[in-house]
Amino acid sequence: MPDLDSGHIFLTTFAPIRDSSARPDKHTSFTQDVRVALASLPTALQSPATEKIGVNSPFSRNTRTHLARMFVLNDVVYNGRLGQNALAASVSGDNPATIQEVDRLNTSYLVFCADIDAVEVDGAPLPHTLAPEDQKRVRASYATKLWETMEDELRAVYSNCVGFDSVDSAEDFATYLDRCHVETTMPFHDYYLKLPEFNRLPLKLLLAAVGLPLLYALLGLILRIFGVMEMPVFGTNTLLALIFGGIATIVIGFAAVLYAIHNGEKPLPPGEYDDLPSVLKSLYLQRAFSDFYVESQGVDDADLHARFGAFLKQHKPSDRSGPTQAPGVIGAP
């Protein structure tokens, strides 16, 4: 399930930040310049405090980005020594006081993560599955869209990264971001109104596929132990039955494990209203209907019917294009 799940692409990219020693005339490091550029990016208007700023996040200029985050990764976290059995370490002579090798990054990285609709056109239906080449095309389409809507901000940040000097167009940026792409192995999704049909394993079939040759091998072993040279039913030499059954059990068991892993990698289907335009429309209607509910208290049936008809005509619940809530805000006037 790399990157794609529930109709979304969970994008992760690592762009190496340039070594400041390459420019001795520079008074700040490239890493610090990245931090300054990130600090200057306005956040989404997602709280009463940020609403007062009045300048929305540049990522809100498209309707594919559900969530986005950019940060500097200086180094990986040290998780401590590799655990081992104390008795085994004593027998092998492994001294726990000996320093183990620690993984380190050779440079700082600009990390960009985003949860986006897996579409190439804003508002298009979310796909259930996508081939790797189609996922790559969706990522390129998204990167192109970002460049078209926030080129200045992207230049301010990525100009401090290795290899960005040759980026002069949206296509160049899409290629650059693809080179920085790493697989997202654990996406998180929380839009489901009802759980989908999960990719269940055919457990009975798998157990039968592994168990039958195993029983065949065990039968051959037991008969061999009691001196029976030939299987009474199958007419097979018990030694051959033991060998054949054992090999078949190992091969089929290995295939069953691979099948289970492949089944677990299948993406879950998208929810009915999981695309960003639908989410924004839902938030807009939630707020509009709450106001309608409060304002309609105590009115008679005829007036309520007329009011609700006017509400449907004004807010158009089935039209995701509008009126709706703008991206990056917690409310709409």
Side-chain angles (χ1 to χ4, degrees):
M1 191 171 51
D3 293 344
L4 176 71
D5 196 34
S6 60
H8 293 210
I9 291 287
F10 295 86
L11 179 66
T12 306
T13 65
F14 279 63
I17 298 175
R18 296 162 66 183
D19 183 2
S20 297
S21 63
R23 283 183 57 183
D25 60 320
K26 196 170 176 59
H27 299 293
T28 58
S29 68
F30 286 107
T31 300
Q32 183 63 25
D33 285 351
V34 171
R35 294 184 185 278
V36 171
L38 292 179
S40 66
L41 289 178
T43 62
L45 306 181
Q46 53 199 359
S47 68
T50 56
E51 277 188 322
K52 297 177 181 179
I53 301 173
V55 182
N56 206 344
S57 167
F59 289 101
S60 67
R61 297 169 192 165
N62 71 80
T63 53
R64 298 185 209 177
T65 309
H66 290 253
L67 298 168
R69 184 187 181 197
M70 303 180 81
F71 61 94
V72 173
L73 179 64
N74 282 326
D75 211 338
V76 292
V77 175
Y78 175 56
N79 289 321
R81 290 181 58 87
L82 297 176
Q84 58 181 327
N85 185 283
L87 293 177
S90 299
V91 173
S92 63
D94 188 1
N95 185 358
T98 302
I99 298 176
Q100 293 180 341
E101 184 178 352
V102 179
D103 290 332
R104 301 294 300 270
L105 296 179
N106 58 3
T107 187
S108 298
Y109 284 82
L110 168 63
V111 183
F112 171 45
C113 306
D115 171 4
I116 64 175
D117 287 341
V119 297
E120 298 180 64
V121 178
D122 290 9
L126 299 179
H128 186 161
T129 60
L130 283 176
E133 59 271 16
D134 295 326
Q135 292 186 37
K136 182 176 181 179
R137 192 174 63 248
V138 169
R139 295 197 306 266
S141 173
Y142 177 69
T144 301
K145 187 76 172 181
L146 284 184
W147 188 265
E148 293 172 350
T149 54
M150 53 180 295
E151 176 184 348
D152 292 341
E153 292 88 348
L154 291 173
R155 282 191 180 277
V157 177
Y158 279 96
S159 60
N160 301 287
C161 296
V162 175
F164 190 76
D165 295 341
S166 59
V167 175
D168 291 318
S169 65
E171 291 73 20
D172 292 341
F173 181 67
T175 301
Y176 178 80
L177 211 60
D178 188 65
R179 290 170 55 197
C180 300
H181 169 253
V182 296
E183 179 182 329
T184 302
T185 56
M186 189 179 290
F188 175 77
H189 181 72
D190 65 347
Y191 280 146
Y192 283 130
L193 296 178
K194 60 180 180 179
L195 292 179
E197 186 66 31
F198 292 105
N199 304 315
R200 301 185 183 277
L201 287 172
L203 290 179
K204 293 181 179 179
L205 180 61
L206 289 176
L207 289 175
V210 177
L212 290 178
L214 178 60
L215 291 176
Y216 185 65
L218 291 176
L219 179 61
L221 175 62
I222 293 172
L223 292 177
R224 193 77 178 181
I225 291 174
F226 286 97
V228 180
M229 296 295 106
E230 188 173 293
M231 301 280 280
V233 178
F234 302 101
T236 307
N237 184 280
T238 53
L239 179 60
L240 292 178
L242 173 60
I243 296 173
F244 173 78
I247 295 175
T249 300
I250 294 174
V251 172
I252 296 175
F254 183 72
V257 171
L258 292 180
Y259 177 82
I261 294 175
H262 176 71
N263 188 75
E265 290 177 342
K266 293 179 181 177
L268 293 174
E272 189 174 359
Y273 306 105
D274 279 16
D275 59 290
L276 187 59
S278 294
V279 173
L280 293 173
K281 185 70 177 187
S282 298
L283 294 172
Y284 171 83
L285 286 174
Q286 182 184 54
R287 184 164 181 164
F289 190 76
S290 296
D291 293 339
F292 170 81
Y293 175 82
V294 172
E295 294 166 359
S296 301
Q297 294 298 302
V299 302
D300 57 39
D301 293 349
D303 191 10
L304 179 61
H305 185 273
R307 283 169 176 257
F308 189 64
F311 176 88
L312 296 179
K313 184 176 181 181
Q314 176 183 357
H315 299 290
K316 303 177 182 177
S318 60
D319 187 357
R320 298 181 306 163
S321 63
T324 187
Q325 181 165 308
V329 300
I330 61 172

